[in-house]
Amino acid sequence: MTTAAEGAPAAQTTSPLDAFSGAVEPTKTGLLYRAGLAIVAFAMVLLPLIYLALIALTAWAVLLHLKYDTWIFEGGSGRGGFGRLIFYLGPAVAGGILVLFMVKPFFAAKAKAPQPVTLDPAKESLLFAFVQKVCGLVGAAAPCRIDVDCQANASASLRRGLWSKDLVLTIGLPLVSGLELRQFAGVLAHEFGHFAQGAGMRLSYVIRKINFWFARVVYQRDEWDLNLERAARGIDWRVGLVLHGARGCVWLTRRILWGLMQAGHAISCFMLRQMEYDADTYEAKVAGSDVFESTSSRLHVLNVATEVAYNDVRQSWSSNRLPEDLPLLIEHKAGSLSADIHQKLSQAAASAKTGWFDTHPCDADRIRAARQLNQPGVFRLTEPATRLFSDFAGQSKTVTRNQYEKHFELEFTQENLIPAEEMLRESAASMQADAMVRKYYGGVNLSLKPLLRTGDLPPLTDGNALARWREARRASEALRAEAEQISTECIEKYNRRVELTSAHRLASAGFKVEPGEFGLPESATSAAEQESAGRLALDEISAAISDLLARLEPFVNALRDRVTLALGLAHANPIAGKPVAANETSELAALLAAVGAEMPRVHEIGSKLRAFTLLAQNRGNHSKPAQVDQALSQLAAELQALIGEIQGRLKPFRYPFPHARGQLSVAEYASSEKTAEHDWHRTYLDSDAHCDRLFALNYRLVGRILELADAAESSLQSDSAQDVVARGD
């Protein structure tokens, strides 16, 4: 794919508007299809009505109780009056709360979507005309508005609800930069194909809206839920029984809603899949059956590239820097994915099967159906889709800023934005580092053991250095497969340690946790038992981690020897044309040794930070908040001690990469620059920053050192080959 800057050819002979070569015959839907869609829509509407009937039944039961169960106060001599009152009013209060919580989902406010970037028809006249042309071909109304965002996707929706005639088209600019015009036209035809059948479009709107509503109210908890939980924990136990009963009823209503949601999902899935097939026919008729498969494959690549690019954004933001053009970065990532990733994507697509509860058919089924149509397509122009925009690069930068501000909610200035050229250069360097890590480490997690223990390369005092390098390379290759298995097991143990640390700290503060959720024995039911079980399990898991790290040592030792010997040999015999490599290597090696030595403490901070966060989040749910405060203060002191040790050791080192704050030390880089509201908040911000930034810095340093070592190895292999030729072997 070409970049936005390269998007327009030197001479454009054919306008995209003139490249359509015929009409598109409307896709006919049979009577059974339309009847089935109507039945599904009716069933979907019936589900909320069933829920309303349950609400009415519950309210009626509460009223019946209040009217006919006054016998509770009859008899007796006035003793147990409070108990009788609770027995009479308790079910009514619990039932009233239940009715309130059952009604609440109908009034639950939907989260506001971030403000989109809307295109000006006057400035983007070619794009609007092109979209209208596709709409005319498929028989759908033209959109009244076109929005753009940073997703590798496109969608069309009704702006004002069920009876609206206003369509809004949303186009992801990574989709535009990643597709040819022919592919892009097919995607648009698919989206508008959903709206080609007026009645079907509105019925599907009903189906999707009800499905989304059920999903939202089942999984979304609000302040009302939290207040009820707090009240039940902090009130007189007799009244608390009533509130806990109400909580149980609320849980039951959520399960009822969940059941209705699942029923609705099951009812609607078949018809939704049929609608996708229906829309696919328009894509094939406009772009051609032959391009349908390549578009599907390309969309998967763009989605993976988007994830990789967003991970780069996260790492860049740790240095207060942001790529100014996300679509360009995503396109660059898509063009640089390894052959291994492409193969995995192809295998996943080929092996996928359509499930009963899937709303979309699998790609293999859709491609098969498109092939059977055998449509040549009425639009076959293969120029970049960016040609449709008057200033695609400028629009990409606008959308990128909107993504950062509205979606990611980042606070930044123009100084934080990385120019496109620098962004692509750093992206290429990042991918090179990834390639080197895969080549040398395979699947071994490089934060488990430091690659270098010292920044000083070993002196090559004997003539066997080359032979020792060859042996170290052979050993590292031979040991890698076993090391990958050890690494996987070790990371699982680390993750288990995180959960056990949380369980132990929560139990120490007096919380009772779900044993199964935190990996504790089911027999540990009290807080004291869980604290003891957590401490014992932590000792066991720490011993297991130590054993695994010891087993990983032979591979890391071999890799360390391989890298240091290669670099040492390169320094003794400098690679032509790279006079600066020795100085850069020495500086980076010293820093990598220092950062790598801190990885165990960074892992420890990560484990304790999770416990610290859970304690803070659940403080209001404890009957004795002061007990939680004591546990939080102890954890905060431990975290600050770890951070202080790391800061002291890393303060002398200069941060070696560009940063928006200019020149700074590694200690300054690792600390959060955000303003803290109080001491505990400062502890959280600094702990989170140290974990996020030092893991990333260690990875980046290892990648660069391996890149230098790989260049040295290439020279050594070349020299060895020449020696063999010279000897005549």
PDB file of all heavy atoms in Angstrom, residues 577-608:
ATOM      1  N   GLY A 577      32.312   1.493   8.407  1.00  0.00           N
ATOM      2  CA  GLY A 577      31.181   2.389   8.208  1.00  0.00           C
ATOM      3  C   GLY A 577      30.349   2.633   9.440  1.00  0.00           C
ATOM      4  O   GLY A 577      29.366   3.349   9.396  1.00  0.00           O
ATOM      5  N   LYS A 578      30.730   2.052  10.609  1.00  0.00           N
ATOM      6  CA  LYS A 578      29.956   2.246  11.831  1.00  0.00           C
ATOM      7  C   LYS A 578      30.884   2.627  12.987  1.00  0.00           C
ATOM      8  O   LYS A 578      31.012   1.911  13.970  1.00  0.00           O
ATOM      9  CB  LYS A 578      29.160   0.992  12.178  1.00  0.00           C
ATOM     10  CG  LYS A 578      28.084   0.653  11.156  1.00  0.00           C
ATOM     11  CD  LYS A 578      27.206  -0.478  11.640  1.00  0.00           C
ATOM     12  CE  LYS A 578      26.106  -0.787  10.639  1.00  0.00           C
ATOM     13  NZ  LYS A 578      25.217  -1.867  11.092  1.00  0.00           N
ATOM     14  N   PRO A 579      31.533   3.786  12.901  1.00  0.00           N
ATOM     15  CA  PRO A 579      32.498   4.156  13.931  1.00  0.00           C
ATOM     16  C   PRO A 579      31.862   4.516  15.262  1.00  0.00           C
ATOM     17  O   PRO A 579      32.523   4.520  16.283  1.00  0.00           O
ATOM     18  CB  PRO A 579      33.188   5.390  13.323  1.00  0.00           C
ATOM     19  CG  PRO A 579      32.172   5.953  12.371  1.00  0.00           C
ATOM     20  CD  PRO A 579      31.439   4.775  11.820  1.00  0.00           C
ATOM     21  N   VAL A 580      30.550   4.865  15.276  1.00  0.00           N
ATOM     22  CA  VAL A 580      29.905   5.305  16.505  1.00  0.00           C
ATOM     23  C   VAL A 580      29.356   4.126  17.302  1.00  0.00           C
ATOM     24  O   VAL A 580      28.991   4.266  18.451  1.00  0.00           O
ATOM     25  CB  VAL A 580      28.768   6.303  16.169  1.00  0.00           C
ATOM     26  CG1 VAL A 580      28.174   6.909  17.427  1.00  0.00           C
ATOM     27  CG2 VAL A 580      29.282   7.417  15.270  1.00  0.00           C
ATOM     28  N   ALA A 581      29.290   2.968  16.701  1.00  0.00           N
ATOM     29  CA  ALA A 581      28.636   1.827  17.341  1.00  0.00           C
ATOM     30  C   ALA A 581      29.270   1.487  18.682  1.00  0.00           C
ATOM     31  O   ALA A 581      28.574   1.135  19.626  1.00  0.00           O
ATOM     32  CB  ALA A 581      28.680   0.615  16.414  1.00  0.00           C
ATOM     33  N   ALA A 582      30.585   1.598  18.800  1.00  0.00           N
ATOM     34  CA  ALA A 582      31.264   1.229  20.038  1.00  0.00           C
ATOM     35  C   ALA A 582      30.837   2.131  21.186  1.00  0.00           C
ATOM     36  O   ALA A 582      30.533   1.664  22.287  1.00  0.00           O
ATOM     37  CB  ALA A 582      32.773   1.295  19.842  1.00  0.00           C
ATOM     38  N   ASN A 583      30.795   3.451  20.948  1.00  0.00           N
ATOM     39  CA  ASN A 583      30.380   4.377  21.995  1.00  0.00           C
ATOM     40  C   ASN A 583      28.922   4.146  22.391  1.00  0.00           C
ATOM     41  O   ASN A 583      28.573   4.149  23.575  1.00  0.00           O
ATOM     42  CB  ASN A 583      30.568   5.824  21.522  1.00  0.00           C
ATOM     43  CG  ASN A 583      32.029   6.169  21.312  1.00  0.00           C
ATOM     44  OD1 ASN A 583      32.897   5.571  21.943  1.00  0.00           O
ATOM     45  ND2 ASN A 583      32.299   7.121  20.430  1.00  0.00           N
ATOM     46  N   GLU A 584      28.070   3.976  21.397  1.00  0.00           N
ATOM     47  CA  GLU A 584      26.655   3.734  21.682  1.00  0.00           C
ATOM     48  C   GLU A 584      26.480   2.436  22.458  1.00  0.00           C
ATOM     49  O   GLU A 584      25.714   2.368  23.425  1.00  0.00           O
ATOM     50  CB  GLU A 584      25.851   3.672  20.375  1.00  0.00           C
ATOM     51  CG  GLU A 584      24.369   3.425  20.614  1.00  0.00           C
ATOM     52  CD  GLU A 584      23.599   3.169  19.335  1.00  0.00           C
ATOM     53  OE1 GLU A 584      24.232   3.040  18.264  1.00  0.00           O
ATOM     54  OE2 GLU A 584      22.354   3.083  19.414  1.00  0.00           O
ATOM     55  N   THR A 585      27.209   1.409  22.061  1.00  0.00           N
ATOM     56  CA  THR A 585      27.103   0.119  22.738  1.00  0.00           C
ATOM     57  C   THR A 585      27.493   0.230  24.204  1.00  0.00           C
ATOM     58  O   THR A 585      26.810  -0.301  25.083  1.00  0.00           O
ATOM     59  CB  THR A 585      27.990  -0.926  22.041  1.00  0.00           C
ATOM     60  OG1 THR A 585      27.594  -1.045  20.684  1.00  0.00           O
ATOM     61  CG2 THR A 585      27.855  -2.277  22.715  1.00  0.00           C
ATOM     62  N   SER A 586      28.592   0.923  24.484  1.00  0.00           N
ATOM     63  CA  SER A 586      29.060   1.042  25.866  1.00  0.00           C
ATOM     64  C   SER A 586      28.027   1.749  26.731  1.00  0.00           C
ATOM     65  O   SER A 586      27.737   1.328  27.859  1.00  0.00           O
ATOM     66  CB  SER A 586      30.391   1.802  25.901  1.00  0.00           C
ATOM     67  OG  SER A 586      31.377   1.086  25.182  1.00  0.00           O
ATOM     68  N   GLU A 587      27.465   2.839  26.220  1.00  0.00           N
ATOM     69  CA  GLU A 587      26.484   3.602  26.990  1.00  0.00           C
ATOM     70  C   GLU A 587      25.216   2.790  27.224  1.00  0.00           C
ATOM     71  O   GLU A 587      24.703   2.710  28.351  1.00  0.00           O
ATOM     72  CB  GLU A 587      26.140   4.901  26.269  1.00  0.00           C
ATOM     73  CG  GLU A 587      25.123   5.755  27.033  1.00  0.00           C
ATOM     74  CD  GLU A 587      24.749   7.018  26.281  1.00  0.00           C
ATOM     75  OE1 GLU A 587      25.274   7.238  25.164  1.00  0.00           O
ATOM     76  OE2 GLU A 587      23.914   7.786  26.805  1.00  0.00           O
ATOM     77  N   LEU A 588      24.714   2.164  26.161  1.00  0.00           N
ATOM     78  CA  LEU A 588      23.479   1.397  26.285  1.00  0.00           C
ATOM     79  C   LEU A 588      23.678   0.145  27.136  1.00  0.00           C
ATOM     80  O   LEU A 588      22.783  -0.255  27.883  1.00  0.00           O
ATOM     81  CB  LEU A 588      22.955   1.008  24.904  1.00  0.00           C
ATOM     82  CG  LEU A 588      22.460   2.156  24.017  1.00  0.00           C
ATOM     83  CD1 LEU A 588      21.944   1.612  22.688  1.00  0.00           C
ATOM     84  CD2 LEU A 588      21.372   2.959  24.711  1.00  0.00           C
ATOM     85  N   ALA A 589      24.840  -0.485  27.017  1.00  0.00           N
ATOM     86  CA  ALA A 589      25.102  -1.696  27.793  1.00  0.00           C
ATOM     87  C   ALA A 589      25.118  -1.384  29.290  1.00  0.00           C
ATOM     88  O   ALA A 589      24.567  -2.146  30.102  1.00  0.00           O
ATOM     89  CB  ALA A 589      26.431  -2.311  27.370  1.00  0.00           C
ATOM     90  N   ALA A 590      25.751  -0.260  29.666  1.00  0.00           N
ATOM     91  CA  ALA A 590      25.780   0.119  31.080  1.00  0.00           C
ATOM     92  C   ALA A 590      24.373   0.390  31.597  1.00  0.00           C
ATOM     93  O   ALA A 590      24.002  -0.028  32.705  1.00  0.00           O
ATOM     94  CB  ALA A 590      26.667   1.347  31.269  1.00  0.00           C
ATOM     95  N   LEU A 591      23.567   1.081  30.801  1.00  0.00           N
ATOM     96  CA  LEU A 591      22.195   1.386  31.219  1.00  0.00           C
ATOM     97  C   LEU A 591      21.348   0.120  31.270  1.00  0.00           C
ATOM     98  O   LEU A 591      20.561  -0.075  32.209  1.00  0.00           O
ATOM     99  CB  LEU A 591      21.574   2.394  30.248  1.00  0.00           C
ATOM    100  CG  LEU A 591      20.110   2.764  30.518  1.00  0.00           C
ATOM    101  CD1 LEU A 591      19.912   3.268  31.937  1.00  0.00           C
ATOM    102  CD2 LEU A 591      19.631   3.803  29.501  1.00  0.00           C
ATOM    103  N   LEU A 592      21.502  -0.770  30.271  1.00  0.00           N
ATOM    104  CA  LEU A 592      20.728  -2.011  30.263  1.00  0.00           C
ATOM    105  C   LEU A 592      21.057  -2.867  31.477  1.00  0.00           C
ATOM    106  O   LEU A 592      20.161  -3.461  32.090  1.00  0.00           O
ATOM    107  CB  LEU A 592      20.999  -2.792  28.977  1.00  0.00           C
ATOM    108  CG  LEU A 592      20.330  -4.175  28.883  1.00  0.00           C
ATOM    109  CD1 LEU A 592      18.819  -4.068  29.047  1.00  0.00           C
ATOM    110  CD2 LEU A 592      20.676  -4.856  27.563  1.00  0.00           C
ATOM    111  N   ALA A 593      22.320  -2.934  31.835  1.00  0.00           N
ATOM    112  CA  ALA A 593      22.706  -3.712  33.023  1.00  0.00           C
ATOM    113  C   ALA A 593      22.034  -3.149  34.270  1.00  0.00           C
ATOM    114  O   ALA A 593      21.551  -3.903  35.126  1.00  0.00           O
ATOM    115  CB  ALA A 593      24.219  -3.712  33.171  1.00  0.00           C
ATOM    116  N   ALA A 594      21.975  -1.814  34.366  1.00  0.00           N
ATOM    117  CA  ALA A 594      21.361  -1.184  35.540  1.00  0.00           C
ATOM    118  C   ALA A 594      19.853  -1.395  35.551  1.00  0.00           C
ATOM    119  O   ALA A 594      19.264  -1.733  36.586  1.00  0.00           O
ATOM    120  CB  ALA A 594      21.691   0.309  35.562  1.00  0.00           C
ATOM    121  N   VAL A 595      19.201  -1.205  34.410  1.00  0.00           N
ATOM    122  CA  VAL A 595      17.741  -1.363  34.338  1.00  0.00           C
ATOM    123  C   VAL A 595      17.356  -2.830  34.499  1.00  0.00           C
ATOM    124  O   VAL A 595      16.394  -3.161  35.203  1.00  0.00           O
ATOM    125  CB  VAL A 595      17.205  -0.796  33.008  1.00  0.00           C
ATOM    126  CG1 VAL A 595      15.716  -1.123  32.843  1.00  0.00           C
ATOM    127  CG2 VAL A 595      17.418   0.710  32.942  1.00  0.00           C
ATOM    128  N   GLY A 596      18.097  -3.731  33.855  1.00  0.00           N
ATOM    129  CA  GLY A 596      17.794  -5.156  33.966  1.00  0.00           C
ATOM    130  C   GLY A 596      17.894  -5.655  35.393  1.00  0.00           C
ATOM    131  O   GLY A 596      17.121  -6.530  35.817  1.00  0.00           O
ATOM    132  N   ALA A 597      18.823  -5.087  36.170  1.00  0.00           N
ATOM    133  CA  ALA A 597      18.977  -5.503  37.569  1.00  0.00           C
ATOM    134  C   ALA A 597      17.773  -5.113  38.417  1.00  0.00           C
ATOM    135  O   ALA A 597      17.541  -5.697  39.479  1.00  0.00           O
ATOM    136  CB  ALA A 597      20.240  -4.887  38.152  1.00  0.00           C
ATOM    137  N   GLU A 598      16.994  -4.123  37.954  1.00  0.00           N
ATOM    138  CA  GLU A 598      15.830  -3.668  38.718  1.00  0.00           C
ATOM    139  C   GLU A 598      14.560  -4.438  38.391  1.00  0.00           C
ATOM    140  O   GLU A 598      13.530  -4.240  39.050  1.00  0.00           O
ATOM    141  CB  GLU A 598      15.585  -2.173  38.453  1.00  0.00           C
ATOM    142  CG  GLU A 598      16.744  -1.270  38.800  1.00  0.00           C
ATOM    143  CD  GLU A 598      17.131  -1.335  40.268  1.00  0.00           C
ATOM    144  OE1 GLU A 598      16.270  -1.681  41.103  1.00  0.00           O
ATOM    145  OE2 GLU A 598      18.307  -1.048  40.584  1.00  0.00           O
ATOM    146  N   MET A 599      14.587  -5.318  37.405  1.00  0.00           N
ATOM    147  CA  MET A 599      13.367  -6.003  36.990  1.00  0.00           C
ATOM    148  C   MET A 599      12.693  -6.807  38.111  1.00  0.00           C
ATOM    149  O   MET A 599      11.471  -6.796  38.229  1.00  0.00           O
ATOM    150  CB  MET A 599      13.652  -6.909  35.786  1.00  0.00           C
ATOM    151  CG  MET A 599      13.904  -6.162  34.474  1.00  0.00           C
ATOM    152  SD  MET A 599      12.490  -5.170  33.913  1.00  0.00           S
ATOM    153  CE  MET A 599      13.029  -3.529  34.424  1.00  0.00           C
ATOM    154  N   PRO A 600      13.435  -7.521  38.982  1.00  0.00           N
ATOM    155  CA  PRO A 600      12.754  -8.227  40.081  1.00  0.00           C
ATOM    156  C   PRO A 600      11.957  -7.286  40.976  1.00  0.00           C
ATOM    157  O   PRO A 600      10.850  -7.615  41.412  1.00  0.00           O
ATOM    158  CB  PRO A 600      13.902  -8.894  40.836  1.00  0.00           C
ATOM    159  CG  PRO A 600      14.995  -9.045  39.831  1.00  0.00           C
ATOM    160  CD  PRO A 600      14.877  -7.840  38.956  1.00  0.00           C
ATOM    161  N   ARG A 601      12.521  -6.091  41.251  1.00  0.00           N
ATOM    162  CA  ARG A 601      11.804  -5.135  42.091  1.00  0.00           C
ATOM    163  C   ARG A 601      10.612  -4.540  41.357  1.00  0.00           C
ATOM    164  O   ARG A 601       9.579  -4.240  41.965  1.00  0.00           O
ATOM    165  CB  ARG A 601      12.775  -4.038  42.556  1.00  0.00           C
ATOM    166  CG  ARG A 601      13.584  -4.427  43.782  1.00  0.00           C
ATOM    167  CD  ARG A 601      14.778  -3.540  43.982  1.00  0.00           C
ATOM    168  NE  ARG A 601      15.815  -3.785  42.997  1.00  0.00           N
ATOM    169  CZ  ARG A 601      16.679  -4.791  43.078  1.00  0.00           C
ATOM    170  NH1 ARG A 601      16.632  -5.631  44.085  1.00  0.00           N
ATOM    171  NH2 ARG A 601      17.602  -4.963  42.150  1.00  0.00           N
ATOM    172  N   VAL A 602      10.719  -4.377  40.048  1.00  0.00           N
ATOM    173  CA  VAL A 602       9.579  -3.867  39.281  1.00  0.00           C
ATOM    174  C   VAL A 602       8.453  -4.898  39.280  1.00  0.00           C
ATOM    175  O   VAL A 602       7.274  -4.553  39.412  1.00  0.00           O
ATOM    176  CB  VAL A 602       9.998  -3.510  37.839  1.00  0.00           C
ATOM    177  CG1 VAL A 602       8.801  -3.010  37.040  1.00  0.00           C
ATOM    178  CG2 VAL A 602      11.087  -2.446  37.850  1.00  0.00           C
ATOM    179  N   HIS A 603       8.800  -6.178  39.150  1.00  0.00           N
ATOM    180  CA  HIS A 603       7.788  -7.232  39.273  1.00  0.00           C
ATOM    181  C   HIS A 603       7.127  -7.188  40.656  1.00  0.00           C
ATOM    182  O   HIS A 603       5.908  -7.356  40.778  1.00  0.00           O
ATOM    183  CB  HIS A 603       8.434  -8.604  39.057  1.00  0.00           C
ATOM    184  CG  HIS A 603       8.577  -8.998  37.617  1.00  0.00           C
ATOM    185  ND1 HIS A 603       7.492  -9.298  36.824  1.00  0.00           N
ATOM    186  CD2 HIS A 603       9.680  -9.156  36.830  1.00  0.00           C
ATOM    187  CE1 HIS A 603       7.914  -9.614  35.604  1.00  0.00           C
ATOM    188  NE2 HIS A 603       9.231  -9.526  35.583  1.00  0.00           N
ATOM    189  N   GLU A 604       7.924  -6.956  41.679  1.00  0.00           N
ATOM    190  CA  GLU A 604       7.381  -6.898  43.044  1.00  0.00           C
ATOM    191  C   GLU A 604       6.441  -5.701  43.202  1.00  0.00           C
ATOM    192  O   GLU A 604       5.386  -5.809  43.842  1.00  0.00           O
ATOM    193  CB  GLU A 604       8.518  -6.821  44.046  1.00  0.00           C
ATOM    194  CG  GLU A 604       8.047  -6.910  45.492  1.00  0.00           C
ATOM    195  CD  GLU A 604       9.194  -6.904  46.497  1.00  0.00           C
ATOM    196  OE1 GLU A 604      10.360  -6.960  46.065  1.00  0.00           O
ATOM    197  OE2 GLU A 604       8.906  -6.852  47.712  1.00  0.00           O
ATOM    198  N   ILE A 605       6.827  -4.577  42.623  1.00  0.00           N
ATOM    199  CA  ILE A 605       5.946  -3.405  42.665  1.00  0.00           C
ATOM    200  C   ILE A 605       4.618  -3.714  41.988  1.00  0.00           C
ATOM    201  O   ILE A 605       3.545  -3.357  42.489  1.00  0.00           O
ATOM    202  CB  ILE A 605       6.633  -2.194  41.986  1.00  0.00           C
ATOM    203  CG1 ILE A 605       7.780  -1.692  42.851  1.00  0.00           C
ATOM    204  CG2 ILE A 605       5.627  -1.068  41.747  1.00  0.00           C
ATOM    205  CD1 ILE A 605       8.588  -0.575  42.205  1.00  0.00           C
ATOM    206  N   GLY A 606       4.677  -4.412  40.849  1.00  0.00           N
ATOM    207  CA  GLY A 606       3.447  -4.771  40.145  1.00  0.00           C
ATOM    208  C   GLY A 606       2.529  -5.627  40.991  1.00  0.00           C
ATOM    209  O   GLY A 606       1.310  -5.431  41.009  1.00  0.00           O
ATOM    210  N   SER A 607       3.100  -6.601  41.716  1.00  0.00           N
ATOM    211  CA  SER A 607       2.285  -7.472  42.575  1.00  0.00           C
ATOM    212  C   SER A 607       1.629  -6.678  43.694  1.00  0.00           C
ATOM    213  O   SER A 607       0.432  -6.821  43.967  1.00  0.00           O
ATOM    214  CB  SER A 607       3.158  -8.578  43.183  1.00  0.00           C
ATOM    215  OG  SER A 607       3.674  -9.430  42.191  1.00  0.00           O
ATOM    216  N   LYS A 608       2.407  -5.813  44.335  1.00  0.00           N
ATOM    217  CA  LYS A 608       1.871  -5.055  45.464  1.00  0.00           C
ATOM    218  C   LYS A 608       0.933  -3.940  45.009  1.00  0.00           C
ATOM    219  O   LYS A 608       0.005  -3.569  45.735  1.00  0.00           O
ATOM    220  CB  LYS A 608       3.025  -4.486  46.285  1.00  0.00           C
ATOM    221  CG  LYS A 608       3.835  -5.570  46.992  1.00  0.00           C
ATOM    222  CD  LYS A 608       4.936  -5.007  47.877  1.00  0.00           C
ATOM    223  CE  LYS A 608       5.624  -6.133  48.641  1.00  0.00           C
ATOM    224  NZ  LYS A 608       6.702  -5.656  49.533  1.00  0.00           N
TER     225      LYS A 608
END
